[in-house]
Structures are given as structure tokens and as C-alpha cells.
Amino acid sequence: VQLQASGGGLVHAGDSLRLSCAASGLRVSNSVVGWFRQAPGKEREFVAVIRGTSNNRNYKASVKGRFMISRDNAQNTLYLQMNNLEPEDTAVYYCAASDRQYVILSQVDNEDIYDYWGQGTLVTVSS
């Protein structure tokens, strides 16, 4: 299984970016797939998830309403649309996928349930 993340860059506060994560060896349509991020000097944190075949989506509170996670089953690609970016969103963003087809809500931020990780793509938001 490989996850290839792309789409990061340097933007100004208020701008938008769309991250992509192309998957191979795993079907994003059938898997729990999500995004995490790691800001400089901080631990990696959960951002958003699609909880597998249930299609339920959940977000970190601070990005809810600004970010949207989606997947294109035909392209086997996961996306993270990020709008109204803030300097606090500056981080390396990682896509992640699990062999599980479902996860309960309380576990979506548990990194242990994700079996595969992309290489990360850097998002820098200037004020």
C-alpha cells in the first residue's frame, strides 16, 4: 500500500488549498481514511476522517466549517479542501488509511488504528 500526498504550499491567511492523497494497493472507498498534521515543535494531531463504508465524516473542532474531507472512488484519491486558512494551520499534513472499514467516533484520532501513512506535505500560512 502506498499513499502519495501532494498539494501543500505557501499561502496567505484567508486563502484556500486542496491537498490530495493518491492511494494504491487499498481502496479509499472501503477504508477508514483521514488527515493528520504536525506543526513545528508539536505532536501530530488528527484533522479529519471519513469513517470507511459508513461515509461519516468528522473534524477537529478548530477546522470544522473551514476544511472538508472527501474522496474520489474512481480516482482512488482522498482530498482535504482547506478554506479560510489561518497561520495556526501551518503544519506538515499527512494522509492516513486503515485496513478497517469502520471505526467508532472515539477512536478516529487514535493513530494506532491507521496502518498506512503518506509522506507528508507542508502547508505554510503567512499572516
Side-chain angles (χ1 to χ4, degrees):
V1 174
Q2 289 192 332
L3 302 175
Q4 183 70 38
S6 61
L10 172 62
V11 297
H12 296 291
D15 287 349
S16 298
L17 270 179
R18 188 178 77 158
L19 305 184
S20 301
C21 177
S24 59
L26 169 145
R27 299 302 303 175
V28 298
S29 58
N30 296 337
S31 305
V32 174
V33 288
W35 291 93
F36 286 71
R37 69 186 182 187
Q38 186 168 22
K42 294 188 177 181
E43 302 219 341
R44 189 158 59 184
E45 63 179 7
F46 165 79
V47 176
V49 66
I50 301 178
R51 289 157 56 197
T53 53
S54 76
N55 211 34
N56 292 328
R57 299 158 200 236
N58 303 97
Y59 298 89
K60 176 181 172 61
S62 64
V63 308
K64 198 171 183 181
R66 299 188 297 121
F67 290 11
M68 185 175 72
I69 188 172
S70 64
R71 57 189 172 188
D72 184 324
N73 296 337
Q75 296 295 322
N76 206 30
T77 299
L78 179 69
Y79 298 101
L80 185 68
Q81 177 67 43
M82 305 185 295
N83 299 324
N84 194 21
L85 281 159
E86 302 171 352
E88 293 74 23
D89 297 317
T90 294
V92 176
Y93 283 73
Y94 298 90
C95 54
S98 173
D99 287 326
R100 304 180 187 206
Q101 294 188 342
Y102 181 73
V103 63
I104 59 175
L105 180 57
S106 63
Q107 290 295 309
V108 298
D109 60 349
N110 180 0
E111 293 192 20
D112 291 340
I113 70 128
Y114 297 89
D115 301 291
Y116 312 105
W117 293 83
Q119 83 286 7
T121 185
L122 176 62
V123 173
T124 304
V125 185
S126 64
S127 57

